[in-house]
Amino acid sequence: MPLDTTQPITSNELRGLSQADADTLILRASDKGPASYSRILKLKRSGPEPLYYQLAQSIEDAIQSGAIDHGTKLPPLSVMAAELTLSAQTVRHAWDYLERRGVLICRRGLGTVVS
């Protein structure tokens, strides 16, 4: 059954995507144009909380506020790290944390998608 790109996508649907549907999802997520995550995600480098945790919280806040939509494909880890001037390890740690919480779905070949 083809992917209905007019409706929100559930976590279970994301996990079972075929490559063709994943490509459709990527195109749909990019319809809004490239996001500038450095403007959306706010970090306090001198704050008491670890940067990975601040990034994770900021991503969750952006999703809840609608700045990042459910079903949106995030840029590659290295691109996100460069844009935010963070190490790739810090971004990976934040994404792993969010994946464990069910906020992101990370899938080889698909990338990282907001659930």
Side-chain angles (χ1 to χ4, degrees), residues 44-73:
K44 294 180 183 174
R45 295 178 189 278
S46 61
E49 295 177 326
L51 282 173
Y52 88 88
Y53 185 76
Q54 289 183 47
L55 177 58
Q57 290 299 111
S58 190
I59 290 171
E60 279 192 285
D61 291 345
I63 293 166
Q64 290 174 357
S65 72
I68 300 175
D69 293 332
H70 292 277
T72 298
K73 182 180 184 293

Side-chain angles (χ1 to χ4, degrees), residues 30-113:
S30 66
D31 286 346
K32 293 183 177 183
S36 176
Y37 290 98
S38 61
R39 283 186 259 160
I40 295 170
L41 305 174
K42 302 300 177 198
L43 304 172
K44 294 180 183 174
R45 295 178 189 278
S46 61
E49 295 177 326
L51 282 173
Y52 88 88
Y53 185 76
Q54 289 183 47
L55 177 58
Q57 290 299 111
S58 190
I59 290 171
E60 279 192 285
D61 291 345
I63 293 166
Q64 290 174 357
S65 72
I68 300 175
D69 293 332
H70 292 277
T72 298
K73 182 180 184 293
L74 297 180
L77 186 140
S78 60
V79 172
M80 177 76 83
E83 183 172 343
L84 298 174
T85 61
L86 295 171
S87 72
Q89 183 176 3
T90 298
V91 176
R92 167 57 56 209
H93 197 174
W95 285 3
D96 287 346
Y97 174 80
L98 291 171
E99 185 176 25
R100 285 190 305 273
R101 292 176 44 88
V103 176
L104 298 179
I105 296 172
C106 302
R107 203 170 135 207
R108 185 177 288 276
L110 174 60
T112 302
V113 179

